[in-house]
PDB file of all heavy atoms in Angstrom:
ATOM      1  N   TRP A  77     -12.424   1.489   0.975  1.00  0.00           N
ATOM      2  CA  TRP A  77     -11.477   2.327   0.253  1.00  0.00           C
ATOM      3  C   TRP A  77     -11.204   1.750  -1.120  1.00  0.00           C
ATOM      4  O   TRP A  77     -11.429   0.572  -1.374  1.00  0.00           O
ATOM      5  CB  TRP A  77     -10.164   2.483   1.033  1.00  0.00           C
ATOM      6  CG  TRP A  77      -9.553   1.171   1.418  1.00  0.00           C
ATOM      7  CD1 TRP A  77      -8.712   0.396   0.682  1.00  0.00           C
ATOM      8  CD2 TRP A  77      -9.773   0.453   2.642  1.00  0.00           C
ATOM      9  NE1 TRP A  77      -8.382  -0.753   1.365  1.00  0.00           N
ATOM     10  CE2 TRP A  77      -9.021  -0.726   2.573  1.00  0.00           C
ATOM     11  CE3 TRP A  77     -10.526   0.713   3.783  1.00  0.00           C
ATOM     12  CZ2 TRP A  77      -9.006  -1.660   3.601  1.00  0.00           C
ATOM     13  CZ3 TRP A  77     -10.504  -0.220   4.804  1.00  0.00           C
ATOM     14  CH2 TRP A  77      -9.747  -1.388   4.717  1.00  0.00           C
ATOM     15  N   ARG A  78     -10.733   2.650  -1.992  1.00  0.00           N
ATOM     16  CA  ARG A  78     -10.334   2.209  -3.325  1.00  0.00           C
ATOM     17  C   ARG A  78      -9.375   3.233  -3.911  1.00  0.00           C
ATOM     18  O   ARG A  78      -9.309   4.378  -3.486  1.00  0.00           O
ATOM     19  CB  ARG A  78     -11.525   2.012  -4.234  1.00  0.00           C
ATOM     20  CG  ARG A  78     -12.205   3.281  -4.669  1.00  0.00           C
ATOM     21  CD  ARG A  78     -13.319   2.980  -5.640  1.00  0.00           C
ATOM     22  NE  ARG A  78     -13.885   4.221  -6.125  1.00  0.00           N
ATOM     23  CZ  ARG A  78     -15.097   4.357  -6.571  1.00  0.00           C
ATOM     24  NH1 ARG A  78     -15.903   3.323  -6.571  1.00  0.00           N
ATOM     25  NH2 ARG A  78     -15.528   5.499  -7.018  1.00  0.00           N
ATOM     26  N   ARG A  79      -8.655   2.784  -4.908  1.00  0.00           N
ATOM     27  CA  ARG A  79      -7.721   3.623  -5.649  1.00  0.00           C
ATOM     28  C   ARG A  79      -8.392   3.951  -6.974  1.00  0.00           C
ATOM     29  O   ARG A  79      -8.831   3.060  -7.693  1.00  0.00           O
ATOM     30  CB  ARG A  79      -6.414   2.863  -5.868  1.00  0.00           C
ATOM     31  CG  ARG A  79      -5.363   3.604  -6.596  1.00  0.00           C
ATOM     32  CD  ARG A  79      -4.674   4.671  -5.819  1.00  0.00           C
ATOM     33  NE  ARG A  79      -4.011   4.199  -4.617  1.00  0.00           N
ATOM     34  CZ  ARG A  79      -3.420   5.008  -3.758  1.00  0.00           C
ATOM     35  NH1 ARG A  79      -3.418   6.298  -3.952  1.00  0.00           N
ATOM     36  NH2 ARG A  79      -2.855   4.530  -2.676  1.00  0.00           N
ATOM     37  N   GLU A  80      -8.515   5.232  -7.295  1.00  0.00           N
ATOM     38  CA  GLU A  80      -9.117   5.675  -8.546  1.00  0.00           C
ATOM     39  C   GLU A  80      -8.093   5.596  -9.686  1.00  0.00           C
ATOM     40  O   GLU A  80      -6.889   5.500  -9.443  1.00  0.00           O
ATOM     41  CB  GLU A  80      -9.633   7.113  -8.413  1.00  0.00           C
ATOM     42  CG  GLU A  80     -10.718   7.290  -7.373  1.00  0.00           C
ATOM     43  CD  GLU A  80     -12.030   6.651  -7.773  1.00  0.00           C
ATOM     44  OE1 GLU A  80     -12.301   6.512  -8.981  1.00  0.00           O
ATOM     45  OE2 GLU A  80     -12.793   6.282  -6.874  1.00  0.00           O
ATOM     46  N   ALA A  81      -8.571   5.676 -10.922  1.00  0.00           N
ATOM     47  CA  ALA A  81      -7.700   5.596 -12.093  1.00  0.00           C
ATOM     48  C   ALA A  81      -6.647   6.705 -12.096  1.00  0.00           C
ATOM     49  O   ALA A  81      -5.532   6.503 -12.581  1.00  0.00           O
ATOM     50  CB  ALA A  81      -8.536   5.654 -13.368  1.00  0.00           C
ATOM     51  N   ASP A  82      -6.972   7.877 -11.527  1.00  0.00           N
ATOM     52  CA  ASP A  82      -6.011   8.984 -11.501  1.00  0.00           C
ATOM     53  C   ASP A  82      -5.009   8.866 -10.356  1.00  0.00           C
ATOM     54  O   ASP A  82      -4.171   9.743 -10.157  1.00  0.00           O
ATOM     55  CB  ASP A  82      -6.733  10.328 -11.426  1.00  0.00           C
ATOM     56  CG  ASP A  82      -7.436  10.570 -10.083  1.00  0.00           C
ATOM     57  OD1 ASP A  82      -7.445   9.657  -9.229  1.00  0.00           O
ATOM     58  OD2 ASP A  82      -7.970  11.681  -9.903  1.00  0.00           O
ATOM     59  N   GLY A  83      -5.083   7.773  -9.593  1.00  0.00           N
ATOM     60  CA  GLY A  83      -4.166   7.553  -8.482  1.00  0.00           C
ATOM     61  C   GLY A  83      -4.703   8.029  -7.143  1.00  0.00           C
ATOM     62  O   GLY A  83      -4.075   7.818  -6.111  1.00  0.00           O
ATOM     63  N   SER A  84      -5.863   8.680  -7.121  1.00  0.00           N
ATOM     64  CA  SER A  84      -6.450   9.159  -5.869  1.00  0.00           C
ATOM     65  C   SER A  84      -6.850   7.991  -4.979  1.00  0.00           C
ATOM     66  O   SER A  84      -7.337   6.971  -5.472  1.00  0.00           O
ATOM     67  CB  SER A  84      -7.703   9.996  -6.141  1.00  0.00           C
ATOM     68  OG  SER A  84      -7.395  11.155  -6.854  1.00  0.00           O
ATOM     69  N   LEU A  85      -6.643   8.165  -3.692  1.00  0.00           N
ATOM     70  CA  LEU A  85      -7.137   7.212  -2.706  1.00  0.00           C
ATOM     71  C   LEU A  85      -8.417   7.791  -2.122  1.00  0.00           C
ATOM     72  O   LEU A  85      -8.447   8.945  -1.696  1.00  0.00           O
ATOM     73  CB  LEU A  85      -6.124   7.004  -1.581  1.00  0.00           C
ATOM     74  CG  LEU A  85      -6.638   6.177  -0.401  1.00  0.00           C
ATOM     75  CD1 LEU A  85      -6.819   4.722  -0.799  1.00  0.00           C
ATOM     76  CD2 LEU A  85      -5.710   6.298   0.793  1.00  0.00           C
ATOM     77  N   VAL A  86      -9.477   6.999  -2.108  1.00  0.00           N
ATOM     78  CA  VAL A  86     -10.746   7.411  -1.515  1.00  0.00           C
ATOM     79  C   VAL A  86     -11.041   6.451  -0.367  1.00  0.00           C
ATOM     80  O   VAL A  86     -11.043   5.237  -0.551  1.00  0.00           O
ATOM     81  CB  VAL A  86     -11.893   7.358  -2.552  1.00  0.00           C
ATOM     82  CG1 VAL A  86     -13.218   7.752  -1.912  1.00  0.00           C
ATOM     83  CG2 VAL A  86     -11.578   8.251  -3.747  1.00  0.00           C
ATOM     84  N   LEU A  87     -11.254   7.016   0.824  1.00  0.00           N
ATOM     85  CA  LEU A  87     -11.629   6.225   1.993  1.00  0.00           C
ATOM     86  C   LEU A  87     -12.919   6.818   2.533  1.00  0.00           C
ATOM     87  O   LEU A  87     -12.982   8.023   2.794  1.00  0.00           O
ATOM     88  CB  LEU A  87     -10.538   6.264   3.064  1.00  0.00           C
ATOM     89  CG  LEU A  87     -10.788   5.372   4.273  1.00  0.00           C
ATOM     90  CD1 LEU A  87      -9.471   4.818   4.796  1.00  0.00           C
ATOM     91  CD2 LEU A  87     -11.499   6.108   5.393  1.00  0.00           C
ATOM     92  N   VAL A  88     -13.950   5.996   2.659  1.00  0.00           N
ATOM     93  CA  VAL A  88     -15.242   6.442   3.169  1.00  0.00           C
ATOM     94  C   VAL A  88     -15.610   5.608   4.392  1.00  0.00           C
ATOM     95  O   VAL A  88     -15.169   4.465   4.538  1.00  0.00           O
ATOM     96  CB  VAL A  88     -16.364   6.346   2.104  1.00  0.00           C
ATOM     97  CG1 VAL A  88     -16.069   7.277   0.939  1.00  0.00           C
ATOM     98  CG2 VAL A  88     -16.537   4.920   1.618  1.00  0.00           C
TER      99      VAL A  88
END
Side-chain angles (χ1 to χ4, degrees):
W77 54 87
R78 71 176 185 205
R79 181 74 59 184
E80 298 290 333
D82 69 355
S84 296
L85 172 70
V86 178
L87 185 146
V88 296

